[in-house]
Structures are given as structure tokens and as C-alpha cells.
Amino acid sequence: MSAAFPDIYASAPLRRLLEDEVRGLTPDLQRCRGDHGLLVSAIEQDQLPAVPMLSCWTRLAVAGTRYSGDIAGRSDESLPFLDDAFELVVLRHALEAAAAPMALLDESLRVLAPGGMLAVSGLHPLSLWLPWLAWRARRQALRLHMPLQLGEWLRRRDMQVECVRRLGPVWPVADAAAALGDALGGGYVLMARKRRRAAAPLRLVPRPIRAPVDGRLAPGARRNIA
């Protein structure tokens, strides 16, 4: 993994933002249930709070064109998972660290099961963190995304966006006062649910019944008397 990414995400201001992010994500994650969850993160050895109703996690750490963790591969290629494999997919600063963020997001939707939850977090491009980021991440450009634009992109792919909110300190200072949910926070969280596929209703097709050629009725049938 590139040295620039562990450095910036290990810095004190971003550690504080990540802690606020976890507190903001926890109530939503507690509502998720299923057999498998996928965590794709820009933070090495990243961990999320335990989700009691989710039994198994797959964890990937992404930087540039590569990801590592439980498996290794290229972030701009298809993920090696079946369609609809995960009930929860968390992209934790992954879109800003991946070389092909939209390809990664497309793949995340492919492996997300109908009715499953997608959680996306990142640094907000319109925040007071930008000068600090420009200096601290000058050796590797971060690909910041507007959460509202991500929400529109997801809606066009049949996702139901449940919430988009800012969080974290307004300033990139490690000991800044808590600003969880602040409209000017340096980070954001987006939660969206994949719509379930509508079942096609069964349609009964009437089949004509041919009358007996000799005019006789079926056993037990009676002729109507005019």
C-alpha cells in the first residue's frame, strides 16, 4: 500500500474524524442483518463495531489500483464475489483512495444483495479541511466526491438513499470540540438500500375446451333447460 495513505489516515486529525464516523455509523449498522458483510477501506487493519445480526465479515484495504486484506487484487477490476453475496457493504474512504472509484462503486452494488445496505463515508470536498488535505496528501491526490452527487448516481441505479449527513470536526484539529452531525463537518456518511426485485405476478392463461364431437356431455353434467 502506498506510504501516503497510511500516513494521512494515521494522522491525529483524521483519527478523530474516523472515531466520529464510527459513532455516526453504529446506529445504522445495528439495523443490518444477514450472513455476510464487506468492508472496503482506505485504512489498513480497519475495524468496525460488532454488528450483532451479521455473522461474517470480509475486509479489504484499498489504495490506488490495488487492494489487500482477506484477498488481494486490482481495485479497477471486478471483485471476486458472486452477485448479491453481501447483505452489508461499507466503503470507508475507499472511493477517495481507489484509482477507479466508480468502477469500485459499481462492483459494490453488484455484490450487494437486494434489500441490503450500502454505507459510504469520506472526506467532504466542500469543507475547511481542504487546505490541510492539499498539504498533507500532496504526494497522492485524493479523489473527493460530493455526497449529493453520489446519492443521485445511486438513485439512477435503483438504490434508495436513506440519509446523507455531515459529521466530524469542522477544523482538522485533533482536539477540536465534538461536532458530530455538524452541517460543516469535515466528513460525510451516506446510507442507501438496494431495492428488492419485484416479483412478476402469475397470470392465468385461459385454455379453450373442445366440446365432444358426438354431442354427449361429460359424466355428471346436465343440459340447461331453456
Side-chain angles (χ1 to χ4, degrees):
M1 181 173 288
S2 169
F5 282 96
D7 177 64
I8 190 171
Y9 291 107
S11 65
L14 264 172
R15 286 202 308 269
R16 172 60 187 277
L17 177 63
L18 294 172
E19 291 171 0
D20 286 348
E21 186 179 289
V22 167
R23 287 194 292 270
L25 277 171
T26 299
D28 295 305
L29 297 184
Q30 299 299 317
R31 299 188 288 112
C32 299
R33 64 181 65 193
D35 295 324
H36 299 283
L38 174 64
L39 171 62
V40 185
S41 177
I43 300 94
E44 288 190 282
Q45 306 298 324
D46 196 8
Q47 297 286 336
L48 287 175
V51 181
M53 293 182 288
L54 198 72
S55 57
C56 180
W57 279 99
T58 299
R59 295 176 175 85
L60 306 178
V62 63
T65 60
R66 307 292 301 178
Y67 61 80
S68 58
D70 291 337
I71 56 175
R74 291 183 59 89
S75 63
D76 54 354
E77 295 180 351
S78 299
L79 292 172
F81 305 117
L82 297 175
D83 294 355
D84 307 337
F86 299 96
E87 286 80 14
L88 171 63
V89 175
V90 181
L91 301 180
R92 197 162 186 233
H93 296 264
L95 296 182
E96 64 202 29
M102 291 301 103
L104 176 59
L105 189 53
D106 262 328
E107 279 297 289
S108 300
L109 299 187
R110 178 184 66 81
V111 302
L112 182 63
M117 183 72 75
L118 172 71
V120 182
S121 68
L123 294 162
H124 202 287
L126 299 180
S127 73
L128 299 177
W129 286 61
L130 286 184
W132 181 85
L133 288 172
W135 170 72
R136 197 61 191 266
R138 59 191 180 277
R139 294 185 179 180
Q140 174 124 24
L142 296 179
R143 299 164 180 85
L144 304 186
H145 299 84
M146 288 289 293
L148 292 180
Q149 291 179 348
L150 287 177
E152 289 302 316
W153 189 91
L154 290 170
R155 290 185 183 95
R156 291 196 294 269
R157 283 154 178 78
D158 208 26
M159 294 286 291
Q160 180 180 352
V161 177
E162 296 193 346
C163 73
V164 179
R165 59 178 178 268
R166 300 278 290 267
L167 47 72
V170 175
W171 302 93
V173 179
D175 57 354
L180 190 64
D182 194 318
L184 299 178
Y188 71 87
V189 168
L190 182 151
M191 305 293 298
R193 190 175 297 277
K194 190 173 184 178
R195 298 182 189 275
R196 298 184 184 274
R197 299 184 182 95
L202 296 176
R203 303 181 66 179
L204 299 179
V205 179
R207 298 182 59 185
I209 300 176
R210 183 174 298 178
V213 177
D214 56 4
R216 292 180 297 174
L217 298 175
R222 297 186 305 167
R223 293 184 182 277
N224 289 332
I225 301 176

